[in-house]
Amino acid sequence: MVTNLNSGRKPGRGRPRVFDPEAALEIGERMFHEHGYDAVGLAALTEELGIKAPSFYAAFGSKAAFFERVMERYAQTALPAADLLAPGRPPADALADLLERAARTYAKDPRRRGCLVLEAARGAGDTESAVLARRVAQERRDEIRAYVAATRPEAADAVTDYVASVMSGLSGSAREGMSEARLAAVARAAAGGLHALLG
């Protein structure tokens, strides 16, 4: 049982345990990233979080809703677009930085290789987890498109498709075990395509 979600007090008299939703999302991200959505059952999840199923439902609504919050948190923290896609930066430079950061992020933890969102989005058909992941992935693509469109609207769609495809390839290669150095080299090579598309 994970203890960092609680106050450390034993059940019984005194103040009740304090549940930390942010810590729960961090633990959920690790579990889903390591094992995949379908392999993480509610019983294992609540045991790791140190809470009972009714408390989990009260806090998050459902396993799917929890997974969506986990992915949104991951998308905002693993590669913070607001920091990388800063106004005033040349789009080719900013997006090249994004690709290299992605390459390094996807490979840095052997237990959580690849992108949580992109790998979940590869799920077959219209499974709940795949649909949720595709929505989060689309939100990130929309951020990239808007960033490029602010200065190069005619290139926004092509550049967005290019960046999304490269990031998907980097994630898949990371999952297959490609090293951080090799992934970073691929990302740097892909920067040439950005400069070609953006002039």
Side-chain angles (χ1 to χ4, degrees):
M1 179 181 294
V2 175
T3 58
N4 67 349
L5 297 183
N6 303 313
S7 65
R9 296 177 181 270
K10 293 181 179 180
R13 294 181 179 179
R15 299 175 63 185
R17 290 180 170 183
V18 177
F19 176 68
D20 184 349
E22 187 65 20
L25 293 173
E26 183 177 350
I27 292 168
E29 187 273 314
R30 172 178 55 78
M31 294 180 72
F32 289 132
H33 212 151
E34 285 188 52
H35 307 294
Y37 178 82
D38 293 330
V40 177
L42 183 63
L45 188 58
T46 53
E47 180 179 358
E48 191 72 10
L49 299 181
I51 61 176
K52 302 296 185 183
S55 298
F56 177 86
Y57 288 125
F60 301 108
S62 67
K63 177 186 168 184
F66 177 70
F67 182 58
E68 185 172 21
R69 286 184 60 180
V70 165
M71 286 191 297
E72 289 171 347
R73 178 184 180 277
Y74 174 84
Q76 293 168 3
T77 58
L79 289 170
D83 295 339
L84 298 170
L85 306 182
R89 287 191 74 186
D93 293 346
L95 293 169
D97 190 13
L98 176 67
L99 292 179
E100 185 161 356
R101 296 273 193 98
R104 297 191 183 283
T105 298
Y106 296 164
K108 70 180 179 181
D109 187 340
R111 298 171 303 170
R112 291 182 274 182
R113 298 183 70 87
C115 173
L116 172 66
V117 175
L118 294 178
E119 295 307 313
R122 298 184 204 275
D126 57 355
T127 60
E128 191 170 44
S129 59
V131 170
L132 291 171
R134 288 169 194 153
R135 186 167 72 199
V136 175
Q138 184 60 53
E139 290 171 357
R140 177 50 62 90
R141 287 193 292 270
D142 290 343
E143 287 183 71
I144 294 171
R145 182 177 289 104
Y147 178 73
V148 177
T151 54
R152 295 294 304 278
E154 76 286 355
D157 288 341
V159 170
T160 301
D161 290 345
Y162 179 79
V163 171
S165 296
V166 173
M167 292 182 75
S168 180
L170 291 171
S171 178
S173 294
R175 291 285 284 189
E176 292 167 12
M178 187 177 288
S179 70
E180 180 179 336
R182 291 171 63 194
L183 286 168
V186 171
R188 287 192 295 270
L194 288 169
H195 286 285
L197 287 167
L198 289 165

